[in-house]
Amino acid sequence: QSDCIGNNHPTENECIHTDTIYKSENRTNDSTKNQNIYYQDSQIAKETTLVDQLGQSLTLGIDNVLGDGGNRHITISCPFWIVNTTEHSLRYKKEHSSYFVSGTVISGSQDGSKPVDASKRNYVHKRGTIFPGKPGALASPSSAGNCILNTHDFYNLLSNDLTLDHILDLAFMFNFSDSNTISSNHKLCVQLADTSDKSNYTSQWSDGFSLNSIGVSQTIGMLCLDGHYLEVTVTISLAPGKYSQYTKIVRFSPRFALINQLSRPIRLWQDSSLIHPITVHDGGKEVSTNNHDPYTWHEINNNLQIDGTIHQYEYLFCGTSQLDHKLGTDMKPGTSAHRSALYISTVGKNQVVPFHLPDTRADREFRIDFGANWNLSSSFPCEVTGEYTLKMTRVIDLRLIEHFDSRASSIYQVCLPPQQKSGEDSLEWDGELGLWFETVQWGDERKIIVKGTKRGKFCSDNTDIQVGDELLQIDNVDVSEMSFGDAMRHLKDRISSVRKKRTKSIFLKRFDRNNNDSSSVSVLSDADSTTTKKELILTFGTLENRLKAVREKALNRKKFSSIIRSGNAKDLVSKQELPRRNERISSILSDKKNVEVNRRLEEYVEISTQVVNQSIFVFVRPCSSSSLSYRIENR
């Protein structure tokens, strides 16, 4: 071309612009002369189209520039590189268009990523290009939704300064199908696509978003089913270095990531306490099929393995998530969470996992779970950066702690007639007990319960007898060996035998010459003193003690509860039969000491939420209660 320029200069009628391409061809004719063929600007190719084996096309731009020395600089470029650094399988298309770009995977049998010549040139790198419809960089090539990277590789892949070589390995070329459309009207739609032909985890297309906003991050939601959205973060930036004038990088990242820096595995739950309870209030109550609360998760069943099930997506598509489905976490089974709680993921010690919200309509807050025998932590916001300190408390099993009564004693005795102690005022008793009793059948046992007390009488004013207390013994004879009628007749006979004469009325006391003070004096006739038998002793058990015994019996009979679900017998007291009724009464009356249980009932963790490349990282670290500058507890 330089020879052509030097030897043959165009005339005025053949003036050529500097950006015109011209070509020298040697044609053999009779005169054997060189002819110059000139191409005008309108004849220069500005783009070229690539087509895959499914007929899907991709338009590439061509920039052809003539240098001052006659050399030509030809650049072939693609306006967008899409980098999928999530664990999801995503597809892309232009808004209001039904066409996919070249390389898109439609299904297992319709794979546009395969080269037309059946070569493997697209997979020369370790990971290879992430084509639309293939799992993202955080997942294995054959299994979407599951992160398989170690902590170091995970950090490198989601860092802000991703190297150009790494981008080139993963990037997929994208362009809008209509290149004549004004660029400002271009909007991209994204979809969660299941192309494995084993399941149907395919969402609807997201709303379109513009690719012209450089440096702006957006949260994109894809409607899965019944109002459940899968959220991802998208960031648009210029390609580094010399590529910046031609290409924009569209990078998809997980919305959240959990980094467990503790020495134990943890679970993460989304707070749904405004809609459903977050924990099981009754540890002994099992969730049954008659419960109207919806099931959102189920425990792992090794005997039931369904091919193609991706447990991270089950709840998004109105299924139930499987607890601890991620392998290698060493999390023991069991939790105190309610069956309607929203399970997110389980993370092993010093592990990291990306995740999404199970339900974007619920509270955008998280809770930490240490597993069986631990309560869920208080909630903390998921989209507000900062640091929080949470107290983790154990589930309190009433069999493991000492029982405290609000009464003076769980079993007490009442003596009639009342015995006067030295230095104390005498107690008045008019010979009436002032109690109403009823019989209650509890299972196989019949109990005599105090139904009411008569106001102003001795038992109401001078004893600890309260409604609900149980009559256990009459003169150390167990009433369980009597019928209700026999017990009442025996009680009346004993009251009659120990009844004293009524205290003289205050009106008659003024005529008593021996009455030197205002205190009441009880007088026994000679006949009464000769016929009076020994004193009457009534033994009662408090309502608290009766309910405690019922609760212990229920807990010992229950095979499974929210606490026992862990299957760890070391954390529980060995099952023992309840002592016999009389042995229990005598042991309490003899002030038997309770066994102390020394256990660490609480721990502290530090939560730190940070934004890394517009993904929210949740760090969970150990924390000592002594390092806290202040704390607020709601007791």
Side-chain angles (χ1 to χ4, degrees):
Q1 292 179 347
S2 60
D3 292 341
C4 296
I5 294 175
N7 297 333
N8 300 301
H9 296 280
T11 61
E12 294 181 357
N13 296 331
E14 295 177 337
C15 182
I16 303 176
H17 300 288
T18 58
D19 57 349
T20 302
I21 296 178
Y22 54 91
K23 180 180 178 182
S24 174
E25 290 186 358
N26 295 327
R27 295 186 178 181
T28 305
N29 50 23
D30 295 337
S31 59
T32 312
K33 59 173 64 176
N34 293 333
Q35 291 184 352
N36 294 326
I37 301 177
Y38 300 95
Y39 295 96
Q40 301 297 325
D41 187 46
S42 60
Q43 296 176 295
I44 300 175
K46 300 296 182 181
E47 59 184 30
T48 184
T49 301
L50 306 180
V51 182
D52 62 13
Q53 59 180 349
L54 301 181
Q56 301 170 139
S57 61
L58 170 66
T59 301
L60 301 178
I62 299 178
D63 186 19
N64 197 322
V65 179
L66 176 65
D68 295 337
N71 60 312
R72 309 208 63 81
H73 189 112
I74 301 176
T75 302
I76 302 177
S77 63
C78 182
F80 303 104
W81 294 352
I82 295 181
V83 182
N84 181 7
T85 53
T86 71
E87 71 276 24
H88 310 300
S89 176
L90 303 177
R91 279 200 299 238
Y92 324 99
K93 73 177 184 67
K94 178 186 173 182
E95 188 180 28
H96 307 306
S97 175
S98 58
Y99 299 100
F100 294 113
V101 72
S102 179
T104 301
V105 180
I106 306 298
S107 63
S109 58
Q110 295 179 303
D111 191 350
S113 66
K114 296 180 179 180
V116 293
D117 59 355
S119 67
K120 295 184 178 180
R121 61 178 179 271
N122 289 342
Y123 305 94
V124 295
H125 300 287
K126 179 180 179 181
R127 181 63 173 84
T129 303
I130 302 177
F131 290 94
K134 291 290 187 179
L138 298 182
S140 64
S142 59
S143 177
N146 297 312
C147 179
I148 61 171
L149 299 181
N150 56 41
T151 304
H152 181 266
D153 293 340
F154 187 92
Y155 286 152
N156 291 338
L157 194 58
L158 291 185
S159 62
N160 291 321
D161 52 349
L162 193 63
T163 63
L164 178 61
D165 291 339
H166 210 163
I167 294 176
L168 295 176
D169 290 344
L170 305 176
F172 165 78
M173 294 187 296
F174 177 84
N175 195 3
F176 295 101
S177 56
D178 187 2
S179 59
N180 295 324
T181 305
I182 301 176
S183 60
S184 60
N185 295 331
H186 287 167
K187 289 188 177 181
L188 181 69
C189 297
V190 62
Q191 176 192 45
L192 173 67
D194 183 6
T195 60
S196 62
D197 295 337
K198 296 180 181 180
S199 54
N200 188 26
Y201 300 111
T202 300
S203 70
Q204 298 184 21
W205 289 97
S206 70
D207 295 335
F209 58 95
S210 175
L211 301 182
N212 294 325
S213 302
I214 305 299
V216 177
S217 298
Q218 308 175 60
T219 300
I220 306 301
M222 294 161 278
L223 178 61
C224 296
L225 194 64
D226 195 22
H228 297 129
Y229 281 83
L230 172 65
E231 292 183 338
V232 295
T233 299
V234 58
T235 305
I236 304 171
S237 60
L238 294 176
K242 58 185 178 182
Y243 303 101
S244 60
Q245 57 180 324
Y246 301 104
T247 303
K248 298 177 183 178
I249 297 178
V250 182
R251 184 176 177 182
F252 290 91
S253 304
R255 186 73 182 100
F256 302 98
L258 177 62
I259 296 90
N260 179 19
Q261 297 178 338
L262 301 177
S263 59
R264 63 188 308 162
I266 61 174
R267 294 190 188 97
L268 188 66
W269 300 80
Q270 183 183 1
D271 191 352
S272 60
S273 57
L274 290 183
I275 304 175
H276 302 291
I278 193 65
T279 57
V280 180
H281 297 294
D282 186 355
K285 181 179 179 181
E286 277 297 303
V287 179
S288 63
T289 55
N290 296 327
N291 196 331
H292 298 290
D293 291 333
Y295 281 31
T296 59
W297 57 270
H298 63 275
E299 295 182 86
I300 187 170
N301 187 354
N302 295 326
N303 298 325
L304 182 61
Q305 297 293 339
I306 304 176
D307 293 337
T309 301
I310 303 177
H311 299 287
Q312 288 88 334
Y313 300 147
E314 275 294 292
Y315 188 72
L316 293 176
F317 292 89
C318 297
T320 57
S321 301
Q322 179 174 289
L323 203 65
D324 305 332
H325 55 76
K326 182 177 175 60
L327 301 178
T329 60
D330 297 328
M331 172 64 78
K332 295 181 180 180
T335 179
S336 62
H338 196 271
R339 285 301 178 98
S340 61
L342 301 177
Y343 170 71
I344 296 179
S345 184
T346 303
V347 188
K349 58 182 180 180
N350 298 320
Q351 291 184 358
V352 58
V353 62
F355 65 92
H356 56 271
L357 293 178
D359 193 345
T360 55
R361 302 168 299 178
D363 307 340
R364 302 183 79 88
E365 296 183 344
F366 297 141
R367 291 177 183 260
I368 302 296
D369 180 13
F370 277 0
N373 303 330
W374 287 89
N375 290 313
L376 271 65
S377 72
S378 58
S379 59
F380 60 94
C382 64
E383 294 180 331
V384 179
T385 58
E387 294 185 354
Y388 314 91
T389 301
L390 305 180
K391 182 172 69 173
M392 308 296 298
T393 59
R394 284 188 178 272
V395 175
I396 302 300
D397 186 351
L398 298 181
R399 294 168 296 176
L400 303 180
I401 63 175
E402 183 179 357
H403 182 79
F404 293 93
D405 287 307
S406 62
R407 311 275 288 274
S409 175
S410 59
I411 293 181
Y412 59 94
Q413 292 180 334
V414 176
C415 182
L416 296 175
Q419 300 296 318
Q420 181 179 356
K421 298 181 181 180
S422 60
E424 295 182 358
D425 296 336
S426 60
L427 299 177
E428 295 183 0
W429 180 52
D430 59 1
E432 185 179 353
L433 188 59
L435 295 177
W436 286 275
F437 293 95
E438 65 177 347
T439 179
V440 178
Q441 190 76 22
W442 287 43
D444 297 333
E445 297 182 1
R446 181 190 53 80
K447 299 180 182 296
I448 299 177
I449 306 299
V450 177
K451 184 179 181 181
T453 60
K454 192 173 182 179
R455 184 177 300 177
K457 295 299 181 179
F458 173 79
C459 289
S460 176
D461 296 341
N462 300 295
T463 68
D464 194 32
I465 301 175
Q466 296 182 13
V467 176
D469 289 354
E470 178 186 357
L471 178 61
L472 301 176
Q473 293 177 345
I474 302 176
D475 290 334
N476 297 324
V477 178
D478 198 339
V479 297
S480 63
E481 301 175 358
M482 312 176 192
S483 65
F484 179 72
D486 293 342
M488 293 296 101
R489 282 190 293 270
H490 179 60
L491 180 58
K492 291 178 181 179
D493 292 342
R494 290 292 293 118
I495 292 176
S496 298
S497 64
V498 299
R499 181 180 296 128
K500 295 181 179 181
K501 285 190 174 182
R502 295 175 178 266
T503 306
K504 292 183 179 181
S505 64
I506 299 176
F507 177 76
L508 295 177
K509 287 180 183 178
R510 69 181 66 179
F511 301 103
D512 191 348
R513 297 178 182 178
N514 297 326
N515 186 19
N516 297 324
D517 53 27
S518 60
S519 60
S520 61
V521 179
S522 297
V523 180
L524 273 175
S525 64
D526 294 339
D528 290 337
S529 62
T530 57
T531 58
T532 300
K533 296 182 180 181
K534 63 179 181 178
E535 61 188 9
L536 171 63
I537 300 177
L538 301 179
T539 304
F540 291 88
T542 62
L543 174 62
E544 291 181 1
N545 184 63
R546 184 160 53 91
L547 295 179
K548 175 178 176 288
V550 173
R551 188 162 51 245
E552 285 180 344
K553 188 174 182 179
L555 288 173
N556 280 288
R557 285 183 175 180
K558 199 69 177 176
K559 293 182 179 180
F560 299 100
S561 69
S562 63
I563 303 172
I564 308 174
R565 265 185 265 170
S566 65
N568 188 0
K570 295 181 180 180
D571 292 337
L572 298 176
V573 176
S574 60
K575 183 178 179 181
Q576 298 179 353
E577 297 182 358
L578 293 176
R580 295 179 62 86
R581 182 188 183 93
N582 291 337
E583 295 177 356
R584 176 169 58 86
I585 295 172
S586 61
S587 64
I588 296 178
L589 289 176
S590 62
D591 201 16
K592 179 182 177 181
K593 294 182 179 180
N594 292 320
V595 179
E596 296 183 357
V597 180
N598 295 323
R599 302 183 63 183
R600 189 175 183 182
L601 297 179
E602 62 183 39
E603 291 186 12
Y604 290 85
V605 295
E606 180 181 318
I607 307 296
S608 176
T609 55
Q610 303 176 14
V611 178
V612 179
N613 195 29
Q614 305 308 318
S615 296
I616 298 178
F617 279 60
V618 181
F619 296 88
V620 183
R621 306 185 182 98
C623 177
S624 173
S625 60
S626 60
S627 63
L628 301 179
S629 57
Y630 62 89
R631 76 180 175 192
I632 302 175
E633 290 191 12
N634 180 9
R635 297 183 178 178

